[in-house]
Amino acid sequence: GSSAISALGAISQSRAASASAGYNAKVAQQNAQIATQNAQFAGGEGERNVGAAGAKTKAALAATLANQGASGVDINSGSSVNVRESEAKLGMLNALDVRSEAARKAYGFQTDSASLTGQAQLERSKQKSEKINGYLDAGATILGGAGKASQYSKWLSDTGF
């Protein structure tokens, strides 16, 4: 009686735990896919930002050149050329910083995706083991109950009942 009920309880509990692990696996896998998409978006956004930084640098260089020309200095020699070269180098460094930041952001999403994929695999394994464990627990409960019944029967015969 009670062994059978306990066995059914073990199976029911394992089914619930298995279903929960299956749900968690699906959620983790969906989150991994979202993180992968976010990595792609971050890379694309970074390239757009690099393009914008380059355009900003070109505009600044053009403005510097125009100001130098308007001031009457020789724009092809001396400090005028040095100023524009420095401005171009700073613009290039800025573009590299923008690209580097985008790469770091994308990498963060990629590592999140890998971690979530691993979590999904772990939850799928847990889902399978929970099903098996429930039946093993139920079997052990039934065998334990049978063993107690045998001991009780032996006790009854030993005591003369």
Side-chain angles (χ1 to χ4, degrees):
S2 69
S3 294
I5 292 172
S6 294
L8 289 175
I11 291 171
S12 177
Q13 184 178 9
S14 74
R15 285 183 178 172
S18 177
S20 176
Y23 173 80
N24 290 341
K26 288 178 184 175
V27 169
Q29 193 61 50
Q30 288 173 346
N31 287 339
Q33 290 171 347
I34 291 169
T36 297
Q37 290 172 342
N38 286 341
Q40 293 167 349
F41 295 151
E45 179 183 14
E47 288 307 311
R48 286 188 299 279
N49 290 343
V50 167
K56 186 175 178 180
T57 297
K58 286 180 183 178
L61 282 169
T64 299
L65 182 61
N67 288 336
Q68 288 173 342
S71 68
V73 297
D74 181 6
I75 60 170
N76 296 318
S77 65
S79 63
S80 296
V81 173
N82 293 340
V83 166
R84 290 193 315 274
E85 285 176 355
S86 294
E87 196 170 15
K89 288 177 184 175
L90 288 173
M92 185 175 65
L93 288 174
N94 182 48
L96 290 173
D97 285 345
V98 169
R99 181 171 279 129
S100 176
E101 179 59 31
R104 271 193 297 278
K105 190 174 180 181
Y107 179 73
F109 287 123
Q110 289 167 342
T111 57
D112 287 348
S113 177
S115 174
L116 289 164
T117 298
Q119 181 182 348
Q121 291 170 345
L122 178 67
E123 291 293 338
R124 281 191 289 276
S125 294
K126 184 177 177 184
Q127 180 183 21
K128 291 175 186 175
S129 70
E130 288 292 347
K131 284 180 184 177
I132 294 167
N133 288 343
Y135 289 107
L136 292 175
D137 288 347
T141 300
I142 289 171
L143 290 174
K148 286 181 184 175
S150 172
Q151 288 173 351
Y152 182 68
S153 175
K154 183 176 181 330
W155 178 79
L156 286 177
S157 70
D158 288 348
T159 59
F161 280 102

